[in-house]
């Protein structure tokens, strides 16, 4: 297989794009670096496509390695033929390879192997020839021994051997897979009287070809928890006829025995194997889709706009142990902490108000961040009352606590806040999540953030790889302040290992703030390759070189300075983002001619101009700001037809969950998102979107809210 050619065809790219990308990957370059700083080489391929190509490259290389191993094994057995070699070479998947190798793979003891040990293989092969003139029962008499006592035993042994031969036939398996995929049904039955959330699957059946991914994951979980029994069903006669069509030749007594062996092969060997394969295939497909949804949602969550420049009080609600309070300044530094009892069973409301009001006045607090866990509603009501009484422009937002407890109890949190107990660390984290979601959430295993569907059922390695890639892309697209970033944030920067991240912070502590990117070269273990990969993603605010606060890579500094010189732009102009002279030059000459003059690629020039137009630019700030509130509502306040603003919290296969400020997210079913057909809710919505919704129905007892994004028709 020509891997480069295969990738070119599959990804619909030009050969040079694939060749250059593979070389860059093989040379040890990170995906963020390739996507951002090697656009000329790749034709400006984005990071997601690069990751997909990298993953496919690894699969195809693994396939080639497996081909070599199988070829060597069959050759060693002296069973290699031109036909087998051709089949191996043309195999496109690992499953196809396994089918080819199946007859030659060392087997555990089977009925067929036992029959072979008794010397019955020649009898089986003779019967399989299906000569109409051969009487298999007379022939079997020649094979009677101490171990094969009678004709019936001989014939049964021969059929066992033939059944395994039929089972090992790659063509038969391929055809049966097709039949099962196109005509098979997934059948689900209840395994208990009380099925709970799986009641809808008590007696359920759906074609393999049509079953939705989220239903595959639901029934898998129900089966794993012992509530459901799941099977694949097809018409047995149809399946057996596929094998008979391939192996029955002339009719007669030998053919009858082969037919019996084919039925046995189907029932005992082939169908159970294919059932497992197809169930796994459906699960893999559903898992892959779920991981993509989870990854996309996580990316949107991480890229939520920061709410900068406001002193914030983080409130971690609780009943018996009280609500933990942390005041953090504009940069996230902890100023003060406390504990209040604003909810049952204590209900020390007035005392709690006094504490919060004093903190607000002392530190000029502008915002409350309230965790959405236990006692959140009571805490929100309390906060809304305080805001109303103070009447000084304070707003609040309920923040997801997902993963906060994991972080608070982690070694990282203990190192960051050794003086605080676990619950106070949570309050700090909640406040910082509102101020800068990305910087805070990177401290948590992305699986714990919880913005997907069935993520806890996903293959751990695949999910971790996908989410690590998402976090890496988000961090590098935003950039990291070299002088304030924590090790947990630095380690997400391209080219920076855990050891290097610790060495960077150690260098800062010993030598003070970095004055330039080139100073990074003094950090222990940060060699030329690591510097090349990470430098462009690290920012130095108010450093010696204004370019150090942009995404312009140091390798492009000479070209950038030449551009400034040609256009007559000073460093002071650059610091102020005043590059009108450059824009005029581009309008006159065009980017192509100017890039040629500077001896750089056109995409690089475009990126340079974009970056120097606004040093320190944060792409998140261009997104809609979070929805901050000043008052509170409960589910009992909702009425059908009510119009509300809300924030999309999760996007899944069958719809989206929207936070409308009542402590219970409402579901907008996919059919209620828009009047036009969409394949997936993510075609329209993403996590963090601010949307207008209308209430369809409310079930307070079951805590279910049904919403629509389709504006109701005006009544006459």
């Amino acid at each position: 297989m020509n891997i480069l050619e295969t990738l070119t065809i599959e990804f619909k790219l030009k050969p040079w794009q694939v060749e250059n990308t593979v070389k860059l990957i093989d040379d040890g370059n990170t995906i963020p670096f390739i996507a951002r700083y090697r656009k000329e080489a790749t034709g400006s391929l984005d990071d997601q496509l690069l990751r997909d190509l990298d993953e496919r490259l690894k699969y195809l290389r693994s396939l080639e390695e497996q081909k070599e191993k199988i070829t060597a094994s069959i050759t060693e057995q002296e069973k290699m033929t031109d036909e087998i070699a051709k089949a191996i070479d043309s195999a496109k998947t690992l499953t196809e390879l396994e089918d080819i190798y199946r007859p030659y793979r060392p087997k555990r003891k089977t009925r067929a192997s036992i029959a072979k040990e008794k010397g019955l293989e020649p009898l089986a092969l003779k019967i399989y020839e299906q000569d109409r003139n051969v009487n298999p029962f007379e022939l079997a008499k020649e094979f009677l021994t101490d171990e094969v006592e009678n004709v019936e035993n001989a014939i049964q042994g021969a059929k066992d051997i033939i059944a395994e031969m039929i089972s090992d036939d790659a063509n038969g398996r391929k055809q049966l897979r097709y039949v099962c995929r196109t005509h098979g049904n997934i059948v689900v039955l209840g395994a208990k009287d009380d099925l709970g959330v799986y009641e809808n699957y008590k007696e359920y059946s759906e074609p393999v070809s049509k079953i939705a991914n989220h239903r595959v994951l639901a029934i898998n979980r129900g089966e794993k928890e012992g509530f459901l029994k799941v099977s694949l069903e097809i018409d047995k006669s149809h399946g057996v006829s596929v094998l008979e069509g391939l192996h029955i030749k002339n009719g007669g007594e030998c053919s009858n025995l082969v037919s019996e062996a084919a039925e046995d092969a189907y029932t005992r060997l082939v169908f159970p194997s294919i059932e497992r394969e197809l169930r796994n295939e459906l699960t893999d497909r559903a898992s892959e889709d779920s991981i993509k949804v989870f990854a996309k949602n996580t990316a949107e969550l991480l890229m939520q706009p920061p709410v900068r420049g406001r002193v914030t009080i983080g409130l971690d609600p609780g009943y018996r142990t009280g609500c933990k309070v942390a005041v953090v300044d504009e940069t996230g530094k902890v100023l003060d902490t406390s504990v209040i009892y604003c909810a049952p069973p204590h209900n020390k409301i007035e005392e709690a108000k006094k504490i919060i009001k004093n903190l607000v006045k002392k530190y000029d607090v502008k915002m409350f961040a309230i965790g959405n866990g236990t006692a959140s509603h009571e805490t929100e009501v309390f906060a809304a009352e305080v805001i109303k009484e103070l009447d000084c422009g304070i707003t609040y937002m309920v923040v997801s606590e997902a993963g906060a407890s994991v972080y608070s109890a982690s070694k990282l949190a203990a190192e960051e806040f050794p003086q605080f107990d676990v619950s106070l660390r949570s309050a700090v984290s909640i406040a910082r999540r509102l101020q800068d979601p990305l910087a805070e959430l990177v401290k948590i295993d992305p699986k714990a953030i919880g913005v997907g569907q069935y993520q806890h059922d996903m293959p751990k390695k695949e999910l971790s790889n996908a989410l690590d890639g998402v976090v890496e892309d988000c961090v590098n697209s935003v950039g990291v302040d070299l002088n304030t970033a924590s090790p947990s944030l630095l380690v997400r920067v391209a080219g920076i290992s855990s050891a290097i991240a610790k060495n960077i912070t150690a260098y800062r502590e010993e030598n003070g703030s970095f004055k330039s990117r080139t100073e990074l070269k003094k950090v222990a273990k940060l060699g030329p390759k690591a510097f090349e990969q990470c430098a462009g993603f690290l920012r130095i605010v108010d450093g010696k070189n204004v370019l150090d606060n942009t995404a312009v890579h140091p390798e492009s500094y000479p070209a950038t300075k030449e551009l400034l010189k040609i256009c007559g732009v000073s460093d002071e102009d650059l610091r102020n983002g005043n590059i009108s002279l450059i824009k005029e030059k581009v309008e006159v000459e065009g980017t192509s001619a100017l890039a040629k003059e500077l001896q750089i690629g056109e995409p690089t020039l475009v990126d340079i101009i974009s970056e120097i137009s606004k040093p320190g630019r944060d792409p998140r700030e261009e997104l809609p700001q979070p929805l901050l509130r000043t008052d509170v509502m409960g589910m009992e306040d909702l009425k059908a037809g009510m119009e509300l603003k809300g924030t999309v919290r999760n996007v899944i296969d069958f719809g989206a969950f929207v936070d409308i400020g009542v402590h219970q997210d409402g579901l907008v079913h996919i059919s209620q998102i828009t009047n036009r057909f969409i394949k997936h809710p993510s075609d329209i919505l993403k996590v963090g979107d601010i949307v207008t919704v209308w209430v369809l129905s409310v079930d307070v007892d079951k805590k279910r809210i049904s919403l629509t994004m389709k504006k109701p028709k005006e009544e006459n």
Side-chain angles (χ1 to χ4, degrees), residues 499-500 503-505 507 514 519-527:
I500 292 175
N503 290 344
I504 289 173
T505 52
Y507 182 93
F514 285 88
E519 197 177 344
L520 272 167
K521 295 178 181 179
K522 297 179 181 178
V523 173
K525 296 184 180 179
L526 202 155

Side-chain angles (χ1 to χ4, degrees), residues 60-287:
L60 292 176
R61 283 177 169 170
S62 172
L63 183 66
E64 287 302 296
E65 286 177 18
Q66 196 63 12
K67 285 182 180 181
E68 289 175 11
K69 288 178 183 176
I70 288 173
T71 299
S73 176
I74 297 175
T75 302
E76 193 177 320
Q77 296 174 43
E78 298 182 351
K79 294 178 180 177
M80 181 59 73
T81 65
D82 290 343
E83 186 181 356
I84 295 171
K86 186 177 179 182
I88 291 171
D89 187 56
S90 61
K92 297 289 191 295
T93 66
L94 289 169
T95 301
E96 284 182 55
L97 268 185
E98 286 304 305
D99 282 351
I100 295 165
Y101 187 43
R102 184 178 292 274
Y104 311 99
R105 179 185 291 282
K107 288 184 171 67
R108 58 181 175 80
K109 208 160 205 179
T110 64
R111 281 163 49 173
S113 67
I114 293 169
K116 287 177 182 178
E117 288 172 5
K118 293 177 179 179
L120 294 173
E121 187 170 19
L123 173 61
L125 293 174
K126 192 68 179 173
I127 292 173
Y128 185 74
E129 287 175 6
Q130 299 170 62
D131 186 337
R132 294 176 68 92
N133 298 318
V134 171
N135 183 326
F137 298 96
E138 288 298 320
L139 184 63
K141 292 177 182 177
E142 299 175 16
F143 293 87
L144 298 182
T145 64
D146 291 342
E147 290 184 294
V148 184
E149 297 174 352
N150 52 51
V151 169
E152 288 76 15
N153 288 346
I155 293 294
Q156 184 57 54
K159 287 199 297 183
D160 288 341
I161 294 169
I162 295 169
E164 191 170 274
M165 289 166 55
I166 292 172
S167 171
D168 286 344
D169 177 42
N171 193 24
R173 284 179 169 267
K174 185 176 181 180
Q175 290 193 30
L176 267 178
R177 275 194 203 95
Y178 176 78
V179 169
C180 289
R181 285 192 186 107
T182 52
H183 298 288
N185 289 304
I186 293 294
V187 177
V188 187
L189 296 172
K192 295 182 179 181
D193 293 334
D194 181 9
L195 296 180
V197 295
Y198 302 107
E199 191 62 39
N200 291 342
Y201 295 105
K202 187 173 184 178
E203 290 184 5
Y204 185 81
S205 177
E206 188 168 5
V208 170
S209 58
K210 293 182 179 179
I211 190 164
N213 291 328
H214 65 272
R215 279 199 286 277
V216 171
L217 297 175
I219 63 176
N220 282 359
R221 181 180 286 183
E223 182 181 40
K224 186 177 179 181
E225 293 175 357
F227 287 95
L228 304 176
K229 292 180 179 177
V230 187
S231 61
L232 170 68
E233 291 186 5
I234 66 165
D235 178 14
K236 181 179 176 180
S237 61
H238 189 175
V240 173
S241 68
V242 169
L243 298 182
E244 288 181 335
L246 292 168
H247 297 281
I248 303 298
K249 299 175 184 175
N250 306 317
E253 289 190 76
C254 286
S255 291
N256 290 338
L257 293 177
V258 174
S259 177
E260 290 172 14
E263 183 173 355
D264 177 45
Y266 173 84
T267 306
R268 182 169 57 87
L269 302 172
V270 185
F271 180 75
S273 172
I274 288 177
E275 180 181 27
R276 285 192 300 273
E277 282 180 21
L278 290 189
R279 287 284 312 276
N280 288 337
E281 190 178 285
L282 287 173
T283 300
D284 289 346
R285 185 194 73 190
S287 297

Side-chain angles (χ1 to χ4, degrees), residues 674-716:
T674 177
N675 286 316
R676 63 184 175 84
F677 172 77
I678 54 174
K679 287 185 177 180
H680 195 276
S682 60
D683 295 344
I684 300 281
L685 298 172
K686 63 180 186 294
V687 171
D689 278 352
I690 308 298
V691 294
T692 301
V693 294
W694 289 266
V695 178
L696 285 177
S697 63
V698 181
D699 188 328
V700 177
D701 293 334
K702 292 184 178 179
K703 293 187 176 181
R704 290 180 182 172
I705 304 169
S706 180
L707 305 171
T708 180
M709 288 174 58
K710 299 177 182 178
K711 186 174 182 179
K713 293 179 181 178
E714 299 288 339
E715 293 184 11
N716 294 325

Side-chain angles (χ1 to χ4, degrees), residues 359-386:
L359 290 173
V360 168
K361 290 171 184 174
K362 183 177 179 179
Y363 298 107
D364 193 21
V365 173
K366 297 297 184 187
M367 192 163 58
F368 294 161
I370 305 169
N372 69 341
T374 305
S376 179
H377 181 66
E378 291 86 347
T379 306
E380 185 183 3
V381 171
F382 164 79
E385 287 178 7
V386 172

Side-chain angles (χ1 to χ4, degrees), residues 642-656:
M642 186 180 285
E643 179 180 332
L644 299 162
K645 285 273 187 191
T647 305
V648 177
R649 293 298 180 205
N650 199 1
V651 180
I652 50 179
D653 285 350
F654 54 84

